[in-house]
């Protein structure tokens, strides 16, 4: 399994506070059968430049790597493989940055985008489409379940019509109030990537396994294909 959305990189955002916490989160991921973890801190373009963010991310990565290298070999071997990325808050002028490709999942042209938490403007879908066309990047929509309540069914339908890759949070399955909508979304093929969006070991811990168990029970074992798809995305 691959988790494409985590806040494990230490000291970057409202996720892991320090390398020790990051390592605990990575061990929890491995124990749940996650073989690859993408480290995807928040990037808010209205408060930080891409250049500044990338420098901070490189420093946090060095700090985490040093802490992992200091572990005994047998513990180090228990950790998942790591990859870098970012959760990029949508900004209409993103195509003008010129560095958007550096925010993609490493080695890919896939950019995780967090859409606004307010009613989407009618222009949004077109701007998103234009952004991808002009940059050659492909958008991966972060946690679609977080928009279930805010957006109209037609706004969600218009987004799905763009044929983007869409993530759904494990929490949408473990929380009873959103479970049936989440299952329906997966069943209809509108979300292809299960993610933890983990921030810590308490309120928002790594949780792919319990969500996967619920999905398998409700949708059948074939649903595991979701995870194979996530694995392939980072390998290509
Ligand atoms: Fe997130």
């Amino acid at each position: 399994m691959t988790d494409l959305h985590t806040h494990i990189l230490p000291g970057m955002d409202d996720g892991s506070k320090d390398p020790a916490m990051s390592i605990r989160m990575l061990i929890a991921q491995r124990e749940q059968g996650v073989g690859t973890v993408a480290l995807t801190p928040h990037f808010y373009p209205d408060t930080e430049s891409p250049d500044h963010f990338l420098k901070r991310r490189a420093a946090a990565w060095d700090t985490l790597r040093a802490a992992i290298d200091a572990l005994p070999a047998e513990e180090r071997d228990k950790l998942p493989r790591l990859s870098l990325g970012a959760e990029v808050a949508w900004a209409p002028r993103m195509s003008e940055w010129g560095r958007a490709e550096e925010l993609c999942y490493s080695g890919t042209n896939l950019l995780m985008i967090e859409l606004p938490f307010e009613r989407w403007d009618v222009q949004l879908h077109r701007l998103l489409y234009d952004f991808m066309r002009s940059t050659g990047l492909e958008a991966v929509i972060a946690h679609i379940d977080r928009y279930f309540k805010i957006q109209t069914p037609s706004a969600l339908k218009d987004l799905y019509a763009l044929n983007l890759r869409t993530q759904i949070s494990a929490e949408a399955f473990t929380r009873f109030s959103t479970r049936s909508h989440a299952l329906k979304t997966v069943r209809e093929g509108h979300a292809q990537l299960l993610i933890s969006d983990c921030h810590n070991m308490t309120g928002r811990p790594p949780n792919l396994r319990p969500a996967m168990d619920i999905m398998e029970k409700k949708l059948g074992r074939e649903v595991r294909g979701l995870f194979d798809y996530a694995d392939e995305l980072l390998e290509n």
Side-chain angles (χ1 to χ4, degrees):
M1 290 198 284
T2 293
D3 190 353
L4 287 173
H5 186 151
T6 74
H7 298 273
I8 291 179
L9 207 54
M12 283 297 291
D13 52 19
D14 55 342
S16 170
K17 301 277 174 258
D18 53 47
M21 185 171 170
S22 303
I23 288 170
R24 282 199 298 280
M25 293 168 81
L26 290 170
I27 291 169
Q29 291 274 26
R30 196 74 190 92
E31 285 172 352
Q32 292 181 38
V34 178
T36 304
V37 168
L39 307 168
T40 56
H42 284 289
F43 171 53
Y44 296 111
D46 47 351
T47 59
E48 188 175 24
S49 68
D51 188 49
H52 190 263
F53 171 82
L54 287 165
K55 280 187 186 139
R56 278 200 309 125
R57 191 183 68 172
W61 170 245
D62 288 346
T63 303
L64 179 59
R65 276 262 48 111
I68 290 173
D69 288 345
L71 293 172
E74 64 273 19
E75 284 183 40
R76 213 166 42 229
D77 292 346
K78 286 185 199 153
L79 299 180
R81 201 164 63 91
L82 303 179
S83 172
L84 279 174
E87 179 177 11
V88 179
W90 168 253
R93 300 170 78 89
M94 265 183 349
S95 51
E96 295 167 20
W97 296 345
R99 297 193 72 177
E101 66 284 352
E102 293 175 64
L103 298 164
C104 290
Y105 291 105
S106 0
T108 76
N109 68 338
L110 302 166
L111 184 72
M112 192 211 306
I113 295 179
E114 180 177 47
L115 293 173
F117 289 103
E118 57 205 30
R119 281 285 176 96
W120 294 333
D121 186 277
V122 285
Q123 297 280 344
L124 178 76
H125 300 80
R126 192 181 53 78
L127 289 171
L128 195 53
Y129 180 77
D130 288 348
F131 167 72
M132 292 189 291
R133 208 181 39 182
S134 64
T135 58
L137 303 181
E138 289 188 46
V140 175
I141 302 300
H143 44 56
I144 191 67
D145 47 288
R146 301 270 302 274
Y147 309 107
F148 284 168
K149 267 194 175 169
I150 316 168
Q151 307 303 332
T152 60
S154 75
L156 288 170
K157 204 172 144 202
D158 289 347
L159 182 74
Y160 299 146
L162 292 175
N163 274 328
L164 308 172
R165 294 173 172 93
T166 303
Q167 301 176 347
I168 192 160
S169 316
E171 195 183 39
F173 300 92
T174 57
R175 183 185 286 159
F176 190 72
S177 60
T178 47
R179 186 177 296 167
S180 64
H181 196 155
L183 289 167
K184 181 170 176 278
T185 304
V186 170
R187 209 181 292 119
E188 291 177 351
H190 297 318
Q192 310 81 24
L193 302 160
L194 180 70
I195 50 101
S196 74
D197 198 5
C198 59
H199 280 65
N200 48 48
M201 284 298 288
T202 50
R204 300 179 74 181
N207 58 355
L208 286 196
R209 174 49 55 196
M212 186 59 186
D213 289 347
I214 291 166
M215 273 208 283
E216 282 192 15
K217 201 168 148 202
K218 301 284 184 186
L219 302 175
R221 288 178 66 88
E222 315 82 77
V223 81
R224 281 183 183 222
L226 281 177
F227 294 96
D228 298 342
Y229 180 57
D231 295 340
E232 286 161 22
L233 285 187
L234 289 192
E235 276 167 17
N236 292 335

